[in-house]
Amino acid sequence: MSKREAINGKPYAGNPHVRFDEGEVASATPRRGSLLYKMVFSVAACAIPFVVCANSGWFSNWPSDARPADVSRRIVMDTNMNQFDPNPSRFESPAFQRECGFNAVALRMNGLPLAVTALYDGYDSRVFPEGSDARKWVLAVREKFAAKIREAKAAGLAVFVNTDVIVLPRRMKELYKAEICRPDGRIDFMKPKTLEIHRALIGEFFDTFPELDGIVVRTGENYTFKTPFHGGNRPCDYWNDLEGSKAAHAALMNLLREEVCVKRGKTCIYRTWDFGYFHVRPDYYRDVAGRVRPHEKFIISIKHCASDFFRGIDFNRTLGLGEHPQIVEVQCQREYEGKGAFPSYIADSVINGFEENEGSPDPHTLRDFAKSPLFAGVWTWSRGGGWVGPCIRNEFWCELNARVMANWANGEHETEEGCFRKAAEAMGVMPESVDALHHLALLTPKAILRGKSASDAAAAKDLPVIWVRDCYLAGINMIIGADWLYNRILDGSIEGILADRRESVGMWEEILELAKTVRCRDKADESYLLTSSLYGLRLFRMIEAGWDVMATGLRGDMFGHVYDTARLKAAIDRYDSAKAEYMNLPRERSDAATLFTDEYVRIKVREAFHEVTPVPGLGESVDRYRKLLPSPKGSALEHTAIDVADPVAVAKWWVENLGFEITSQRDDVTHTTFIVDKTGKIALELYRAKDAPSAPDYHSMRPLALHFGFVSDDVEADIARLTAAGATLVVHEKAPGFDGAMMKDPSGISIQFVKRARPVLREQPR
């Protein structure tokens, strides 16, 4: 089995830091035996039918005279999943979604599934007793759902609400554990009592919210870390019981078909999304879908790509299979491509095909699939996806993607170009500027592919796909984790990849020049076109230089530790310059999105929580090879001097509490005292200046005007220890990769204790 097939089946296979599918974290240590190969062997046997199905009779069930589904009956649906960006979104308004061309909305309440609105009074009143805090919480959440549903209905939208399976009250699990749980404590969907509870749950959905047009059901991910009174797990255990997972899907689908579609005449949209099985494998899809009788109101939802929303991934081979209507999911705010911080137009690529999929068997575009009688519509994610930033202040690129997709899905013979013009003019782009904007937009998928992946299709499909994710840039640890960079250096093709990076920068330069020519009625949008293009150019300049450093450095590691230091220095200088310009962008352009960091993260996801732990990224890789360069000439810093009211007392406190040592002390009016830290490399001169009537008032001085920063292994412990010794805490701040406490010593001098994922000092104090 090829890596291409493995990545299509296991979307996170190339990432040595994260295993979403099992919630396990692999080592961040660089190694040549990669996680990718482990996954290849584990799925190789079950992938063989995938290849056979993909290459034989795709769409063979279509009659030769089959006609596309009636356009008027298509669902053109949007979801705003903007739960991690604090900036407001216009897509929070159903009226705006209607204006953009959507006829339906799939509501999400800040990550809460519809399942948390059920009280189960008619099933077992002990679950949420009257007057309990849990019941009050459910009632409050229920009212928020009801208000949002009313708002969407008032806007003229069909209303669906997302829910996950299995999500049940913890009290329900306590009451019926023996009847619904496996020996390991996980809820077993196939138990009769579990099925009975879910019938009651579905009934309560529509009794509570009778105006609902239907529900959207997800089984592939199930997170309850925002639900204080609920828990659950996925109903399907692909890894330990593949056949059982098929039975669980079929049981759930048949239950939903009966309870939602047949009994209540509502629509059920069933998402196949998972990590390499129902969502992408034709053999698995045919087997499961074949166990459920088709119903016009039972619709299967599938992402257009055979994995998550990555580049370098095949068109989804399950689209067009079987007899069930299918709706196609499209992400407009691309979580692996900047989230709208820089121009990323994907509507044309989704409709007409991505560059890297040219030559793939038909159908490999949404335009092809729309010819199928199974095509039931398009479901866009206008906002959301991913876990962290960048956070955007202008939704121009998200809105453009969403409007074009809605225009196209609503039309029977619409071209992408026609849909684009209609969307751009609706967004206030002046008619004479639409062609320039379209040219700019069509350049972006090419620039992004070359900037973060490869123009060579095989290389693009083989690269660890999430070395860029959210606002993080991975480094050499991750990229060599799948042997990808090793192999490209060995076969010489790395120079082609680096040429792609340079070509990407050239494209971003062209994008920026085009952006300067586009005029909009809304000057905020006109400004953001320029800002976002500048953001992309500066970011991809940094990426280009960083990749040159990594490739040049790793080549030296591999071949006798002989390094091309001239090339390394040139690349590092480019990187430093590009990074400085990029980091300065928010100061130049107030509408810029929050920035990427050249660190990476290890994300550990479970049903009940998720953890984001910083790990070395692109910046650490550059610094790794920076150490090989000759040190620049210059003078070494000897000491820092500070005028204090009582040098003797200050020195004594710093010795006793901060580990300093007094190396000299004068017995005169200045009491000049030199103290040295435990490394012996940092010295302070404390004295009472004779030419000043008094020392500075450090108590009133802002800490950010002057402070001394110390490396900390445990910031909380340092706060407690120094507070007991007379220091005062000013502020304690935490962020991904940073834990810092600002304090003042008894004399008012500001001291900071910092724990960083990426140290400032090249050599950490010991």
Side-chain angles (χ1 to χ4, degrees), residues 85 148 150 166 169 175 212 233 268 287 324 330 349 404 422 433 477 489 496 502 544 574 596 602 628 676 685 743:
D85 189 331
K148 200 66 179 175
R150 288 193 297 269
I166 304 169
L175 292 169
L212 275 182
N233 51 260
C268 179
D287 193 346
H324 295 281
V330 180
S349 298
V404 173
K422 187 186 300 183
S433 292
N477 285 10
I489 290 172
R502 293 190 294 272
E544 179 276 324
R574 289 202 315 279
F596 277 74
R602 178 185 296 121
L628 300 175
V676 178
E685 179 186 5
M743 306 184 75

Side-chain angles (χ1 to χ4, degrees), residues 339-357:
K339 297 188 175 182
F342 54 78
S344 178
Y345 176 65
I346 51 84
D348 174 71
S349 298
V350 173
I351 294 167
N352 294 317
F354 285 90
E355 173 187 354
E356 59 270 31
N357 291 333

Side-chain angles (χ1 to χ4, degrees), residues 37 69 72 131 134 177 225 229 292 331 336 381 440 449 550 571 596 607 619 667:
Y37 294 125
S72 66
K177 185 173 183 178
F225 45 78
F229 303 104
V292 182
Q331 189 180 51
Y336 305 100
W381 304 10
L440 184 163
L449 182 71
M550 290 191 295
F596 277 74
E607 275 120 4
D667 187 14

